[in-house]
Amino acid sequence: MSEDTRRDTGIRLPRLDVQSTGIFGAAILIFVVFGVLNSNFLTFSNLRDVAISASINAIIGIGLTFVIITGGIDLSVGSIASFVGVVAASLMVYLEWPPVLVLVLAIVLGLLCGVLNGVLITKLRLPPFIATLGTMSVFQGAAYVVTNGIPVYNIPKSFSIMLSSYISGIPVVVIIVLVLGVLAWALLRRTLFGQNVIAVGGSEETAWLSGIRVDLVKIGVYALSGGLAALAGLVLIARIDAAQTSGGSPYLLTAIAAAVIGGANLMGGEGRISGTIVGALILGALTNGLVLLNVPSFYEQIVTGTVVILAVALDQGAKEWSMLRRASQRPDPDSVEPETPPGERREAEVT
């Protein structure tokens, strides 16, 4: 069917979003390549390991996606995960607090850490990079103070089972990520808060003139980021049955990478929850695949950095291509026939 026919019949074909489909295509390609290189990669047990290893990056990355959409950044998420993890472990091991109560209090603590970040950014007008860089050091130092730099072992089995067990062969943490993904997508795309987040990322001044309480929106997204970072810290200690004072630090850059690979624009205004989760899966697949291929672990950082650069480059290329296509489809003003003046049109109708 030609373009003219589609226009005449009123049929509108769905637009192909190169930016959103590209990340899924890249993920499929990576899985296929590693499956060809190593037959063990695509087995159920190994794919389950990939999903588990990607879970922490996905949880932190979801919160970071909201922050990045507003044009901010949160460098403290890894330290929040470490701090909340050692606090939760200490309460359960040394004070014997119930795991469920500790879980709730730990997430609240993460939310408060995020609120602190939001207040520093909105009330003291600190740049997000500087504010969260400072709190990153504060939270990391607090983690060392809580335990004197000593890891906390003997995590209660009931707590570990709660976050690291399996339901019909599916890891609980994977179910948590899927539920969080759906809820985060609904929050971003189907609520007034999500619309305000996107508006703030597009233009703070315009959002403010539209009556949006920009400061509250920013505090909200940083609180969400802190709460999810705390949850990631709890998942981490449940996985390794111990709380280390710097256990969450390595996940800062990889979580940001997952969000960026998934299409989050560091300039603000754009981000996808599904893309962030797929980005985390890509990083998990790369790590797992390189291990199966007996590639030294320090090459992982090189590969991760290269993937981030390629993802951003392809994302920018897709945007420029879309802009060029829109520009090429605009009518040429020189080729448009001048409109007949009203007086002449009336004379023509009379004759």
Side-chain angles (χ1 to χ4, degrees):
M1 182 181 294
S2 66
E3 183 177 353
D4 293 337
T5 304
R6 289 195 302 268
R7 188 183 297 113
D8 294 338
T9 58
I11 298 175
R12 294 293 182 269
L13 296 179
R15 293 177 56 189
L16 178 62
D17 190 341
V18 177
Q19 296 170 251
S20 61
T21 56
I23 181 64
F24 291 96
I28 294 173
L29 178 62
I30 289 173
F31 275 78
V32 169
V33 169
F34 278 122
V36 171
L37 295 177
N38 191 301
S39 59
N40 293 324
F41 182 80
L42 293 179
T43 61
F44 176 78
S45 60
N46 189 69
L47 291 177
R48 185 172 58 186
D49 291 340
V50 170
I52 293 174
S53 65
S55 59
I56 295 179
N57 283 329
I59 294 172
I60 299 177
I62 289 173
L64 280 173
T65 300
F66 281 85
V67 172
I68 292 174
I69 290 175
T70 64
I73 193 68
D74 190 352
L75 301 179
S76 67
V77 287
S79 298
I80 292 176
S82 300
F83 173 53
V84 171
V86 296
V87 169
S90 298
L91 291 176
M92 290 185 292
V93 173
Y94 301 132
L95 300 182
E96 298 183 352
W97 284 26
V100 175
L101 176 62
V102 170
L103 176 68
V104 174
L105 293 179
I107 294 177
V108 171
L109 178 59
L111 291 171
L112 293 176
C113 291
V115 168
L116 175 61
N117 284 332
V119 170
L120 292 176
I121 292 168
T122 58
K123 304 306 179 184
L124 298 184
R125 302 300 174 188
L126 297 179
F129 184 90
I130 299 300
T132 58
L133 180 65
T135 55
M136 176 180 70
S137 181
V138 170
F139 297 143
Q140 188 60 66
Y144 283 104
V145 169
V146 169
T147 63
N148 292 320
I150 302 174
V152 181
Y153 298 103
N154 300 321
I155 304 298
K157 290 296 182 183
S158 56
F159 180 82
S160 299
I161 292 174
M162 187 165 49
L163 293 178
S164 63
S165 59
Y166 296 84
I167 298 178
S168 300
I170 302 175
V172 169
V173 68
V174 173
I175 298 175
I176 291 174
V177 170
L178 293 176
V179 172
L180 284 176
V182 172
L183 293 177
W185 175 86
L187 179 63
L188 182 62
R189 302 297 179 184
R190 293 292 184 268
T191 67
L192 179 61
F193 174 76
Q195 295 175 8
N196 291 343
V197 168
I198 297 173
V200 169
S203 172
E204 285 190 26
E205 183 178 358
T206 303
W208 181 76
L209 291 174
S210 301
I212 297 174
R213 303 180 70 177
V214 175
D215 287 356
L216 286 182
V217 171
K218 287 188 174 182
I219 292 174
V221 297
Y222 281 96
L224 179 62
S225 178
L228 291 179
L231 177 59
L234 298 176
V235 171
L236 179 61
I237 67 174
R239 279 179 55 188
I240 64 177
D241 288 325
Q244 298 178 345
T245 49
S246 60
S249 299
Y251 293 96
L252 166 61
L253 295 180
T254 52
I256 294 177
V260 172
I261 292 172
N265 189 339
L266 291 175
M267 300 302 293
E270 185 178 357
R272 306 180 189 89
I273 302 301
S274 60
T276 298
I277 295 175
V278 174
L281 279 174
I282 288 176
L283 295 177
L286 289 173
T287 301
N288 182 278
L290 293 175
V291 170
L292 290 179
L293 296 177
N294 296 319
V295 176
S297 59
F298 45 81
Y299 282 102
E300 176 189 342
Q301 298 181 14
I302 298 176
V303 174
T304 300
T306 303
V307 169
V308 171
I309 293 173
L310 289 175
V312 175
L314 292 174
D315 182 70
Q316 293 298 320
K319 291 177 182 176
E320 293 179 3
W321 174 250
S322 298
M323 292 176 63
L324 288 174
R325 289 192 61 186
R326 286 195 296 268
S328 65
Q329 292 172 357
R330 294 173 184 169
D332 186 357
D334 295 334
S335 64
V336 178
E337 296 182 0
E339 183 179 359
T340 306
E344 296 181 10
R345 187 184 304 115
R346 283 196 298 271
E347 293 177 1
E349 292 174 354
V350 171
T351 60

